[in-house]
């Protein structure tokens, strides 16, 4: 079957694809430009809602803690419960997506996490099914994480099969920038809703919108398959060569780097609202929950565009991935240390915005690296690395809660983030690669 890569032929010859990449792509056609745009918009909205649901607890933690009588350690448990469940299903999601199709996995799992989000405030105030409201919240967030754990490995599996390597940075960055908008919208609108309608409204609205998206997603997938008017898409049937993969230094470089970025990112995602509440109690939630993630959204799309420019101009995939990873880790390292020097809310907002902004370079570096190294098994490999990132998030969020509960100071938290990001930098610079392994 001929493979249609929707880029300029002259430019295609200049791109340093991994050896035999074009010949070894799974037997599926790449999406044309029009179809690629439709799928990108659909996933942009989907990822927006994924992060709206994910960050709902971060926005509402202070209000829920007051309502249910939590201390900092229990708040940390509530934030990390999601990631405890999330890390369990990443590899499973990637495997199922590679072998049965990411569309199916995303559809069924999204039904679960959207309904659980709607149910959380209802069970939190009921002792009918659970021993206490705290238990209900922890269990709901755990299974929300379990069901969301398959989303991104399935997304990556689809992108790996249907989007040419030179276009992946743009598609992935554009779709993944929905994470910033989801965080911004939940931070801005959610903060207003918490103040005026109660924290319960945030979960009910986000869950309901997510369920509507699931219905639209199912309709779109069905329509797309009918218009294709052909046999169902072929999926990978080969077994994953784990022994061969785990002997390769680039795999370990990616796993360590993603572990580090996961700890940094999920700590920022979960604890930033609480940091501003503690350090600057008079500050407005709609400001510190919006500005940093708005910058992240802008930089994510700019980064994706210039990564595509670099690839088409002939820069190797390895150089592009390492360049962006360096900006990610060194930027987070420096800005985390600077947070210990701020004295005013404006200074803190500026530095925190830079910190979260630097995280945008993940989408054009580590996020795409599983597709570079093993395109036929991108889903399951992404599941492995995303599981490492989620595990790091689970550990980091809990450690942060423990540090704050025992010391009451944020300085140690920021130093820890800086050290972890430095470890991620050296791991990927020394061992990372953009060349195909299998």
């Amino acid at each position: 079957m001929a493979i249609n890569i929707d880029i300029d032929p002259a430019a295609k010859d200049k791109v340093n694809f991994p050896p035999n990449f074009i010949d070894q792509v799974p037997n599926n056609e790449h999406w044309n430009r029009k179809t690629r745009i439709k799928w990108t918009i659909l996933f942009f909205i989907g990822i927006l809602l994924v992060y709206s649901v994910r960050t709902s607890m971060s926005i509402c933690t202070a209000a829920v803690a007051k309502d249910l009588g939590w201390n900092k350690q229990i708040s940390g448990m509530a934030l990390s419960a999601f990631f405890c469940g999330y890390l369990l299903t990443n590899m499973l999601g990637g495997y199922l997506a590679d072998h049965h199709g990411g569309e199916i996995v995303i559809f069924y799992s999204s039904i679960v996490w959207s309904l659980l989000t709607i149910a959380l405030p209802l069970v939190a105030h009921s002792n009918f099914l659970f021993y206490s409201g705290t238990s209900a919240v922890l269990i709901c967030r755990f299974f929300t994480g379990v069901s969301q754990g398959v989303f991104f490995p399935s997304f990556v599996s689809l992108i790996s099969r249907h989007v040419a390597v030179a276009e992946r940075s743009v598609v992935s960055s554009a779709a993944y920038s929905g994470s910033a908008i989801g965080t911004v919208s939940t931070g801005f609108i959610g903060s207003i809703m918490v103040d005026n309608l109660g924290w319960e409204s945030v979960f009910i609205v986000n869950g309901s919108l997510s369920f509507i998206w699931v219905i639209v997603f199912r309709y779109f997938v069905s329509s797309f398959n009918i218009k294709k008017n052909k046999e169902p898409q072929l999926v990978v049937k080969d077994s994953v060569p784990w022994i061969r993969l785990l002997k390769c230094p680039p795999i370990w470089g990616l796993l360590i780097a993603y572990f580090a970025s996961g700890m940094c990112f999920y700590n920022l995602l979960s604890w930033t609202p609480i940091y501003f509440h503690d350090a600057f109690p008079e500050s407005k939630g709609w400001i510190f929950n919006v500005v940093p993630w708005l910058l992240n959204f802008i930089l994510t799309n700019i980064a994706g565009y210039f990564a595509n420019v670099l690839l088409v101009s002939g820069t190797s995939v390895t150089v592009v991935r390492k360049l962006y990873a360096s900006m990610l880790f060194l930027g987070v390292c420096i800005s985390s240390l600077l947070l210990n020097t701020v004295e005013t809310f404006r200074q803190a907002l500026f530095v925190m915005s830079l910190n979260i902004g630097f995280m945008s370079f993940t989408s054009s570096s580590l996020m795409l690296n599983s597709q570079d190294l093993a395109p036929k098994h991108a889903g399951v490999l992404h599941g492995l690395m995303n599981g490492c990132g989620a595990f790091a998030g689970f550990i980091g969020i809990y450690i942060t809660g423990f540090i704050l509960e025992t010391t009451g100071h944020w300085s140690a938290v920021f130093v820890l983030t800086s050290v972890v990001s430095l470890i991620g930098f050296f791991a990927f610079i020394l061992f990372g690669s953009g060349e195909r392994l299998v």
Side-chain angles (χ1 to χ4, degrees):
M1 177 183 292
I3 294 177
N4 177 30
I5 297 182
D6 192 28
I7 57 175
D8 181 71
K12 181 174 64 178
D13 294 333
K14 297 178 183 178
V15 179
N16 294 328
F17 295 111
N20 302 320
F21 175 83
I22 297 300
D23 295 332
Q24 299 181 44
V25 168
N27 195 19
N28 297 88
E29 291 184 354
H30 286 119
W31 293 326
N32 59 37
R33 185 174 184 273
K34 183 178 180 180
T35 303
R36 194 167 62 239
I37 291 173
K38 289 181 178 179
W39 277 94
T40 301
I41 294 173
L42 183 68
F43 274 117
F44 170 85
I45 298 172
I47 293 173
L48 183 156
L49 291 168
V50 164
Y51 269 81
S52 293
V53 167
R54 186 178 297 188
T55 57
S56 293
M57 182 55 70
S58 302
I59 301 302
C60 298
T61 297
V64 179
K66 183 178 180 180
D67 193 8
L68 300 181
W70 294 351
N71 57 26
K72 281 290 193 300
Q73 194 164 2
I74 296 177
S75 296
M77 290 174 63
L79 291 170
S80 61
F82 173 92
F83 300 102
C84 186
Y86 185 78
L87 64 89
L88 297 178
T89 53
N90 272 265
M91 288 184 63
L92 175 63
Y95 177 85
L96 292 174
D98 286 342
H99 288 75
H100 302 287
E103 306 95 324
I104 298 173
V105 179
I106 289 174
F107 172 68
Y108 286 109
S109 63
S110 297
I111 291 176
V112 176
W113 57 260
S114 59
L115 293 179
L116 282 172
T117 304
I118 296 172
L120 186 144
L122 304 178
V123 298
H125 294 297
S126 172
N127 293 328
F128 178 70
L129 295 175
F130 302 96
Y131 176 74
S132 66
T134 298
S135 300
V137 171
L138 293 177
I139 291 172
C140 273
R141 289 299 288 177
F142 173 82
F143 283 105
T144 300
V146 168
S147 52
Q148 274 203 6
V150 303
F151 188 95
F152 285 105
S154 300
F155 167 69
V156 167
S157 181
L158 280 169
I159 295 300
S160 179
R161 290 206 312 272
H162 296 300
V163 180
V165 66
E167 299 291 342
R168 286 178 192 164
S169 294
V170 172
V171 172
S172 179
S173 295
Y176 195 71
S177 66
S179 63
I181 296 300
T183 306
V184 166
S185 60
T186 304
F188 178 69
I189 302 174
S191 297
I192 297 174
M193 291 173 68
V194 169
D195 293 337
N196 295 279
L197 301 174
W199 63 267
E200 297 89 348
S201 62
V202 177
F203 289 93
I204 293 174
V205 170
N206 283 335
S208 300
L209 291 175
S210 299
F211 190 76
I212 293 172
W213 177 83
V214 174
I215 297 172
V216 174
F217 179 82
R218 180 60 178 173
Y219 174 78
F220 181 85
V221 171
S222 300
S223 301
F224 178 74
N225 288 336
I226 292 172
K227 290 178 181 179
K228 293 278 288 185
N229 193 27
K230 56 170 65 180
E231 294 292 322
Q233 291 290 327
L234 298 176
V235 291
V236 177
K237 297 297 182 183
D238 299 338
S239 60
V240 182
W242 284 117
I243 295 178
R244 181 178 174 187
L245 283 173
L246 294 177
K247 288 181 179 179
C248 300
I251 295 294
W252 289 103
L254 173 61
L255 294 180
I256 296 171
Y258 210 80
F259 182 95
S261 70
M263 181 174 287
C264 297
F265 176 75
Y266 290 124
N267 247 1
L268 290 171
L269 186 70
S270 300
W271 285 105
T272 294
I274 299 175
Y275 162 71
F276 280 104
H277 276 300
D278 287 352
F280 306 97
E282 301 301 320
S283 59
K284 300 296 183 182
W286 65 267
I287 297 178
F288 60 71
N289 285 323
V290 170
V291 175
W293 295 102
L294 191 59
L295 178 62
N296 181 278
F297 168 76
I298 295 170
L299 290 179
T300 296
N301 285 282
I302 293 175
Y305 172 78
F306 281 105
N308 183 65
V309 170
L310 289 171
L311 288 169
V312 172
S313 67
T315 307
S316 74
V317 177
T318 298
V319 170
V320 173
R321 301 292 183 247
K322 289 190 174 184
L323 172 64
Y324 275 61
S326 298
M327 290 188 286
L328 157 68
F329 287 120
L330 294 180
V332 171
C333 177
I334 295 171
S335 56
S336 294
L337 292 177
L338 287 176
L339 280 170
N340 283 328
T341 67
V342 300
E343 297 179 351
T344 66
F345 171 70
R346 288 187 177 183
Q347 291 175 349
L349 181 65
F350 176 74
V351 178
M352 184 63 79
S353 297
L354 289 179
N355 205 336
I356 293 175
F358 283 121
M359 295 300 305
S360 64
F361 294 108
T362 306
S363 61
S364 294
S365 55
L366 306 181
M367 186 67 67
L368 296 176
N369 201 218
S370 64
Q371 301 172 53
D372 303 325
L373 302 179
K376 290 180 68 175
H377 307 287
V380 69
L381 181 56
H382 184 88
L384 175 61
M385 77 175 200
N386 210 36
C388 288
F391 180 64
F394 168 72
I395 293 175
I397 290 170
Y398 185 80
I399 290 176
T400 297
F402 178 78
I403 291 174
L404 294 176
E405 186 64 25
T406 54
T407 68
H409 299 293
W410 286 89
S411 56
V413 174
F414 296 136
V415 170
L416 175 64
T417 301
S418 182
V419 171
V420 170
S421 62
L422 203 57
I423 292 173
F425 166 75
F426 283 114
F428 199 74
I429 289 298
L430 295 176
F431 303 110
S433 174
E435 300 299 317
R436 180 172 181 156
L437 301 176
V438 295

